[in-house]
Amino acid sequence: MKTARVITSQILHRERMTTLLIGLILLLSLSYVFLVVETVLNAAEQRSIEMAVVDTQKEIADLQLTFMQNENDISLDYAYEHGFHDVDERVFVTRNTNLTLR
């Protein structure tokens, strides 16, 4: 026959295990909810970033079209009208590539 002390010890052990399991289940549930919310927020942010990329690509395409249209309009006469002129002497920029180790 089991003594009262052994029975009490077993009951306390079961209560601790039950409390531990309930706490673990709550912790895992909260972790799951947090991860699901983060996944949804990341998906929404990715969608908005993709839309921003599409808008930027449209703007780039429009700017490229404008550039090509304006590029065909540029001529020497146009440049002279806007203050450009021919240079008398060409000057080139060079870099000294003579490197020495000390």
Side-chain angles (χ1 to χ4, degrees):
M1 215 171 167
K2 296 181 180 178
T3 63
R5 183 177 288 172
V6 173
I7 293 173
T8 306
S9 174
Q10 288 176 349
I11 291 173
L12 288 175
H13 181 68
R14 287 182 184 169
E15 285 178 0
R16 287 181 190 151
M17 290 299 289
T18 304
T19 305
L20 179 68
L21 289 176
I22 289 173
L24 187 61
I25 290 171
L26 287 174
L27 179 67
L28 291 175
S29 298
L30 289 174
S31 298
Y32 177 76
V33 169
F34 173 75
L35 292 174
V36 168
V37 168
E38 285 295 314
T39 302
V40 170
L41 291 176
N42 285 339
E45 184 177 355
Q46 181 181 0
R47 179 168 284 239
S48 67
I49 289 172
E50 287 174 355
M51 295 302 294
V53 168
V54 168
D55 291 340
T56 304
Q57 287 175 340
K58 287 178 185 178
E59 289 177 25
I60 290 172
D62 291 340
L63 290 172
Q64 286 175 337
L65 179 63
T66 304
F67 172 77
M68 287 189 291
Q69 290 171 344
N70 290 338
E71 185 180 32
N72 293 333
D73 294 340
I74 295 175
S75 64
L76 281 176
D77 296 331
Y78 181 82
Y80 291 143
E81 288 174 8
H82 286 82
F84 289 91
H85 60 280
D86 293 327
V87 293
D88 298 330
E89 182 180 337
R90 292 184 181 179
V91 177
F92 295 98
V93 177
T94 61
R95 181 194 296 188
N96 186 3
T97 59
N98 187 7
L99 298 176
T100 59
L101 294 175
R102 296 181 189 198

